[in-house]
Each structure stands twice: as structure tokens, then as C-alpha cells.
């Protein structure tokens, strides 16, 4: 029996792996090994000034997942798509095999995530318009989110408050830092487009996935009626999508 791909989950801005606890349990129950971690930009009293620390953290996770030659599916959420796009050039299975190396990323599974060309920052992607639901420290290095309905609009008020209490500060400088690469040009991608997303509106997700196609990237788009946090409101749907990305027919 073939070994199942390893799964790498990358939390988005302000969030930690705690947000993924439900889908992690379901993936492990289905026989997958899951790797995740809190990125250096999140909850850090000495936050990074560019993307480099986050890129290294993601590269370390993927290297751990590949191990002695495993296939890997990388699942970035939201802002983490910029980190994954920047940091994973050369980690694709096809590219590694060409270098005589075993294993590698077989699929990038972007979950309502930023997927942008090289040289584009998050602030570029949102036309440098700081949303009302961001609070920026005056002359400080952090940003915080101030409205749980942006992330969790399809959860009950009590559930919104439960998960909003888990988020942390985020390094504002990383949102101005430009992507350094576009690994999705070489690694096949599936994209979970969330139609009721208040953080990254569906039209923006459409524009980004259309841009990938226009630049010759291999991408499939699956649409669901969900908020920005489908791993909380529709965990079974998200797990099924990840398992299909890993090659299962379900």
C-alpha cells in the first residue's frame, strides 16, 4: 500500500495552528501525518521586518515533511499563500526528481489564500488600502484584527468569540514585504475559493486564480459557500478537499 502524502498546514495572518485543531484531528484519523507551526510573524514581541523568517519556517516544515522521500501537500491559508509562493521554489516533486532527490511537494492547496506573482506584497494586493478591521500600532511593528465577523461570519457569535480569542498580533512589515518568487508556476495547485469570505472577497480570489492561469500556472478551483475560515465552519468539506489534493478519490 502506497504511503499517503504528508500534509503541511500554514496558518494565515494573526492565526496559530490552534485554528486547525479540528481538521488536524480529522486528517490524522484518515491516516495522514500533519506538520504545522506558528509563523515568526505571529505573536512575536520582536517581529520580523521582511518575509525571510517566515519563509525559512515554512521551508523547515516542508523539509521535515519530505523526510527520506515523502510526497507532500502544502496547505497555506490566507496571507500564508504569499510565504508559500515565495519560499517553495525547488521543493516540487518534479523539480527535486530532476535533481536526483526523492519526494517533494505534489500539490499546493491554497485555502482562500493570496496567490500572487513575484514582487507583490499583501499591501500591493489590497491596493494599499488598510481595512477598517485592522488596528495598527502607532509607530509600532504590529497589526491586530479587531472584528471577528471578518474571519468567522458563518459561525455563531459564541464560536466567533472563542476563536477570535486565540489570534495574536502580526508583524506589519511582512505585509509590506514583496513576494520573492512564485512557486505555483512549477507546482500544481488546487484553490479553495470561499464565496462568503469577508477578509478576501470572492472577486479578489477570482482575480488571483485567473492571474495564475494567465501566467501559465496549473490550477484547479473549487468553490464553496463559506467564510474565510472553512476549516472551522465546514471542516469535513475542507478535509475532503485536502484528501483529494493528496490523490484520494473521495
Amino acid at each position: 500500500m502506497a504511503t499517503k502524502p504528508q500534509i503541511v498546514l500554514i496558518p494565515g495572518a494573526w492565526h496559530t495552528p490552534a485554528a486547525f485543531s479540528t481538521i488536524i484531528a480529522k486528517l490524522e484519523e484518515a491516516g495522514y501525518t500533519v506538520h504545522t507551526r506558528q509563523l515568526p510573524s505571529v505573536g512575536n514581541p520582536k517581529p520580523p521586518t521582511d518575509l525571510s523568517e517566515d519563509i525559512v519556517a515554512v521551508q523547515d516544515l516542508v523539509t521535515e515533511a519530505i523526510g527520506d522521500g515523502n510526497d507532500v501537500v502544502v496547505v497555506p491559508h490566507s496571507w500564508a499563500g504569499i510565504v508559500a509562493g515565495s519560499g517553495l521554489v525547488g521543493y516540487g516533486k518534479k523539480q527535486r526528481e530532476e535533481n536526483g532527490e526523492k519526494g517533494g511537494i505534489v500539490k499546493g492547496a491554497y485555502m482562500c489564500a493570496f496567490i500572487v506573482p513575484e514582487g507583490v506584497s499583501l499591501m500591493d494586493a489590497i491596493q494599499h488600502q488598510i481595512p477598517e478591521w485592522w488596528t495598527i500600532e502607532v509607530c509600532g511593528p504590529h497589526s491586530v484584527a479587531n472584528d471577528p465577523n471578518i474571519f468567522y461570519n458563518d459561525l455563531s457569535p459564541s464560536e466567533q468569540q472563542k476563536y477570535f480569542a486565540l489570534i495574536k498580533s502580526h508583524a506589519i512589515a511582512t505585509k509590506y514585504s514583496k513576494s520573492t518568487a512564485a512557486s505555483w508556476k512549477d507546482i500544481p495547485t488546487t484553490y479553495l475559493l470561499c464565496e462568503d469570505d469577508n477578509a478576501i472577497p470572492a472577486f479578489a480570489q477570482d482575480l488571483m486564480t485567473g492571474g495564475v492561469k494567465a501566467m501559465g500556472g496549473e490550477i484547479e478551483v473549487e468553490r464553496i459557500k463559506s467564510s474565510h475560515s472553512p476549516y472551522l465552519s465546514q471542516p469535513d468539506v475542507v478535509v475532503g478537499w485536502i484528501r483529494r489534493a493528496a490523490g484520494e478519490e473521495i
Side-chain angles (χ1 to χ4, degrees):
M1 182 176 178
T3 302
K4 292 183 175 181
Q6 308 261 308
I7 309 297
V8 173
L9 298 175
I10 314 174
W14 300 290
H15 285 71
T16 75
F20 292 144
S21 58
T22 300
I23 64 168
I24 289 172
K26 289 178 179 293
L27 286 166
E28 290 177 341
E29 184 179 345
Y32 289 92
T33 300
V34 179
H35 307 258
T36 187
R37 62 159 292 178
Q38 183 172 319
L39 293 182
S41 288
V42 177
N44 191 337
K46 295 181 179 180
T49 57
D50 59 24
L51 295 175
S52 59
E53 291 184 42
D54 297 291
I55 287 171
V56 169
V58 169
Q59 290 173 338
D60 287 347
L61 273 180
V62 172
T63 298
E64 175 185 274
I66 292 172
D68 294 331
N70 298 312
D71 290 348
V72 176
V73 174
V74 176
V75 188
H77 176 241
S78 192
W79 168 83
I82 292 178
V83 182
S86 295
L88 298 179
V89 171
Y91 286 80
K93 183 174 182 177
K94 179 181 177 182
Q95 291 73 40
R96 285 173 53 85
E97 285 181 341
E98 289 172 352
N99 293 326
E101 300 172 299
K102 294 181 179 179
I105 302 170
V106 293
K107 188 69 68 76
Y110 285 64
M111 180 165 40
C112 51
F114 286 97
I115 183 164
V116 299
E118 182 176 354
V120 175
S121 68
L122 182 145
M123 292 304 297
D124 292 333
I126 63 172
Q127 288 77 52
H128 288 261
Q129 300 295 312
I130 295 177
E132 292 182 356
W133 53 272
W134 291 16
T135 300
I136 310 296
E137 288 185 350
V138 177
C139 299
H142 296 105
S143 66
V144 295
N146 57 41
D147 184 356
N149 198 55
I150 296 296
F151 302 133
Y152 318 119
N153 50 291
D154 53 358
L155 297 180
S156 69
S158 62
E159 288 287 285
Q160 287 190 28
Q161 290 300 327
K162 172 185 174 181
Y163 290 107
F164 195 65
L166 299 176
I167 71 170
K168 299 180 180 295
S169 62
H170 192 103
I172 189 64
T174 63
K175 297 180 179 181
Y176 285 90
S177 299
K178 296 184 184 296
S179 60
T180 57
S183 62
W184 46 262
K185 291 181 179 178
D186 299 315
I187 298 171
T189 301
T190 181
Y191 192 100
L192 190 65
L193 194 155
C194 296
E195 295 182 335
D196 295 332
D197 192 330
N198 285 344
I200 308 176
F203 78 85
Q205 297 177 59
D206 272 321
L207 285 172
M208 289 189 291
T209 55
V212 171
K213 293 175 183 177
M215 295 182 70
E218 180 183 336
I219 187 168
E220 298 176 352
V221 179
E222 186 169 326
R223 308 177 73 96
I224 60 170
K225 295 286 288 182
S226 169
S227 69
H228 192 59
S229 305
Y231 48 85
L232 295 175
S233 62
Q234 300 186 47
D236 289 331
V237 173
V238 170
V239 168
W241 169 71
I242 293 172
R243 291 174 66 181
R244 288 192 294 277
E248 285 195 69
E249 294 184 4
I250 60 172

